[in-house]
Amino acid sequence: MRSEYKLIFERSREGRRAYDLPECDAPDAMNEIPAELKANAPLRLPEIAEIDLVRHYTNLSRRNFGVDNGFYPLGSCTMKYNPKINEELAPLFDNVHPLLDAEMSQGCLALMKDMEDMLCEICGMDAFTLQPAAGAHGELTGLMHIRAYHEHRGDFERKTIIVPDAAHGTNPASAAMAGFKVKEIKSAPDGGVDLDALRAAVGPDTAGLMLTNPSTLGLFERNIKEIAKIVHEAGGLLYYDGANLNAIMGIVRPGDMGFDVMHINLHKTFSTPHGGGGPGSGPVGVKSHLIPFMPVPRIEEDEDGQTYYLNYDKPESIGKIKSFYGNFGVIVKAFCYIRSLGAEGLKEASENAVLNANYVMNKLRGIYEIPHDRTCMHECVVTPGELMQYGVNTSDIAKALIDRGYHPPTIYFPLIVHEAMMIEPTESESRETLDEFVDAMKGIAEQVKTDAAAIHAAPVTTPVGRPDEVTAARKPVVKFED
Ligand SMILES: *Cc1c(COP(=O)(O)O)cnc(C)c1O
């Protein structure tokens, strides 16, 4: 194995050191520790020279793939560039302790209140809470509002949430977690909600419908008004999964489309580096009829309109759903992002996100297959199509992209498209970057036809090529064993 791929333990050689200290002339504190508390063997630490230590960690750091060193078109995840100014500004609030009294935290409260107001304006909702820590957490919170609404009206029979099969996977999971039964409905051939299936699905047990829009197919739902009418007439509420708001900002608003409750992902749409699990923020917006159920505390203005305070006195609230007031640092970054772009800038971001995805989709037409070939939103779904006859699949193409310096797109999702590749270029990429990516995708398609074996061997540029994915996920070996 090339030495740069070796673990630091494999590089260890007895007696090597990366430091050179003078002999200790202080009394040995070890003598004070009772013998039974001492380790009975030396710690197994790698022994390594300074240069090998420096190379080891420098090479490890270069093996990280991130938005800062390459194109990262991971569909549904919005791995867009996060302007560094936001990263610079968030730590300015580091010294504020979350247990400080409201009167000592007026700046933070004002920022959060402003943020709630801006999100109301962007989404067309009447109130927002910033508490939920992620998109899925926002879904759970929103669904708790739906249950509280029905129960408050004495309607205890509404136990079913309808979820189209083009929804994000977290939707049915959150509904189940919130105690609802989940009824899945199939998509129509054009990728939208099948209205007949929806009409057949609603009834006196319907608590609501969760709509991911744009759907995981990257498509805008064409029949939203009709969907809203069907669900509302059946007595249900409408939930909007707005994690992918960067497709519609400044253009349409979920609140205007008839939705009662929604969440957005600050860590996708509004600039926070993510991946690897957090921290995130999934604010939830509601229409006025759901305001009484919102989580406590609410940030409210004093009568004089001068100061903010935290109001816990909300008897119908679903309660607290996150410690303190949410992931404040993420909120600060999102605030900076919105303020620096402004209304026009946000709209332009959405327009460019959609333009970039359509550009990539159109450049790939004829080389890859487009299962729902119509204008897409911020991401597009393609498949290998006829390339599969050469014995390659989506996974092979993803591996080949790694060798060409790209993070692969999301693969095998959405589940309803066979061999899906879900490409989300995001608004921050230039035309040159997109062209280079398209060239790489074309090059792979060519190589599939001339040398499929090479594609099967990819990736050859990484320390590990093709692990057994099930074993790697179920029984990961994350420590050194010799
Ligand atoms: C990312 C995403 C979610 C889940 O958000 P998390 O912050 O990862 O919990 C939900 N819905 C859609 C459409 C998403 O893209």
Side-chain angles (χ1 to χ4, degrees):
M1 197 194 288
R2 277 162 61 185
S3 77
E4 62 162 305
Y5 290 169
K6 281 189 181 155
L7 301 178
I8 196 162
F9 286 94
E10 293 169 323
R11 294 160 164 268
S12 175
R13 293 292 176 275
E14 202 179 327
R16 287 199 188 149
R17 290 290 179 274
Y19 63 86
D20 186 11
L21 295 176
E23 192 116 345
C24 178
D25 60 359
D28 189 349
M30 285 297 276
N31 295 332
E32 315 276 310
I33 299 173
E36 70 271 20
L37 294 180
K38 287 185 188 169
N40 44 27
L43 284 180
R44 282 180 64 220
L45 295 175
E47 299 179 67
I48 191 158
E50 183 174 322
I51 174 127
D52 296 323
L53 183 71
V54 168
R55 284 190 186 148
H56 177 74
Y57 284 108
T58 304
N59 284 324
L60 269 188
S61 77
R62 296 202 309 193
R63 194 137 286 125
N64 276 332
F65 193 95
V67 181
D68 285 0
N69 64 332
F71 184 54
Y72 201 146
L74 195 63
S76 202
C77 290
T78 313
M79 304 303 279
K80 71 183 182 187
Y81 179 69
N82 300 288
K84 296 288 174 262
I85 179 85
N86 307 329
E87 299 298 310
E88 296 286 322
L89 293 174
L92 297 181
F93 290 82
D94 270 2
N95 291 330
V96 188
H97 195 280
L99 286 175
L100 275 181
D101 285 344
E103 63 201 74
M104 298 286 285
S105 340
Q106 285 297 307
C108 298
L109 294 177
L111 182 144
M112 289 194 285
K113 186 76 176 69
D114 256 17
M115 184 71 181
E116 290 181 4
D117 292 346
M118 291 192 297
L119 294 180
C120 285
E121 176 68 25
I122 293 168
C123 299
M125 304 306 279
D126 295 324
F128 256 93
T129 172
L130 306 175
Q131 267 191 52
H137 195 199
E139 292 169 25
L140 178 70
T141 306
L143 289 158
M144 288 166 77
H145 285 75
I146 293 181
R147 194 177 51 210
Y149 172 82
H150 291 308
E151 290 183 354
H152 190 70
R153 295 164 63 245
D155 190 346
F156 295 95
E157 298 310 309
R158 297 191 176 272
K159 295 196 181 310
T160 305
I161 292 286
I162 300 170
V163 184
D165 63 4
H168 195 265
T170 47
N171 290 189
S174 299
M177 199 174 234
F180 289 105
K181 276 184 261 169
V182 178
K183 198 183 269 184
E184 186 179 274
I185 52 170
K186 294 234 172 300
S187 296
D190 76 344
V193 171
D194 183 328
L195 293 180
D196 289 333
L198 177 60
R199 283 189 196 98
V202 295
D205 66 328
T206 302
L209 170 125
M210 293 180 89
L211 191 77
T212 300
N213 188 58
S215 72
T216 56
L217 296 167
L219 301 175
F220 193 91
E221 174 55 56
R222 288 163 161 163
N223 296 312
I224 282 182
K225 279 197 161 160
E226 188 59 23
I227 292 168
K229 190 161 163 261
I230 295 169
V231 174
H232 277 153
E233 280 178 3
L237 296 184
L238 281 148
Y239 186 94
Y240 188 95
D241 179 338
N244 295 320
L245 200 77
N246 58 322
I248 62 163
M249 285 183 299
I251 298 161
V252 283
R253 308 194 306 171
D256 299 336
M257 302 178 207
F259 288 87
D260 303 284
V261 48
M262 67 177 295
H263 84 271
I264 58 180
N265 280 23
L266 296 188
H267 51 288
K268 289 179 182 170
T269 305
F270 296 116
S271 170
T272 270
H274 62 284
S281 177
V284 166
V286 299
K287 282 292 184 61
S288 56
H289 49 284
L290 295 179
I291 288 178
F293 311 114
M294 294 181 83
V296 285
R298 298 287 304 139
I299 302 166
E300 290 178 3
E301 256 171 276
D302 262 336
E303 271 158 29
D304 59 13
Q306 301 289 312
T307 49
Y308 297 95
Y309 70 104
L310 292 167
N311 191 344
Y312 285 84
D313 185 20
K314 304 280 174 182
E316 288 157 20
S317 164
I318 59 169
K320 205 162 180 7
I321 46 99
K322 170 86 173 75
S323 55
F324 303 115
Y325 324 112
N327 279 336
F328 182 63
V330 180
I331 296 166
V332 176
K333 289 177 210 176
F335 181 89
C336 299
Y337 182 79
I338 293 174
R339 276 296 162 90
S340 52
L341 262 70
E344 276 308 307
L346 291 181
K347 184 172 179 218
E348 209 180 314
S350 285
E351 287 169 349
N352 286 335
V354 172
L355 181 65
N356 280 356
N358 278 282
Y359 183 77
V360 169
M361 183 177 81
N362 281 288
K363 289 278 180 184
L364 293 179
R365 183 179 288 111
I367 304 160
Y368 291 86
E369 198 166 285
I370 303 168
H372 297 92
D373 198 353
R374 61 170 158 113
T375 304
C376 66
M377 299 302 289
H378 62 304
E379 57 197 359
C380 62
V381 175
V382 305
T383 74
E386 62 169 26
L387 294 175
M388 304 251 314
Q389 74 197 34
Y390 297 91
V392 301
N393 59 20
T394 285
S395 171
D396 296 316
I397 291 162
K399 302 281 186 195
L401 272 171
I402 295 173
D403 280 343
R404 286 160 176 80
Y406 293 102
H407 192 291
T410 298
I411 57 172
Y412 297 103
F413 185 80
L415 301 175
I416 55 175
V417 172
H418 191 55
E419 297 287 330
M421 278 180 268
M422 189 189 203
I423 304 169
E424 181 177 7
T426 81
E427 61 272 24
S428 26
E429 300 297 342
S430 69
R431 181 170 173 180
E432 292 75 28
T433 301
L434 301 184
D435 284 338
E436 283 167 21
F437 173 73
V438 166
D439 283 347
M441 289 289 283
K442 281 185 184 164
I444 292 168
E446 283 307 312
Q447 198 176 19
V448 164
K449 293 175 190 166
T450 56
D451 186 8
I455 300 286
H456 282 133
V460 295
T461 56
T462 55
V464 177
R466 297 200 178 210
D468 171 342
E469 287 175 13
V470 176
T471 310
R474 298 265 165 84
K475 293 182 191 155
V477 180
V478 292
K479 68 179 183 18
F480 175 67
E481 285 164 3
D482 53 1

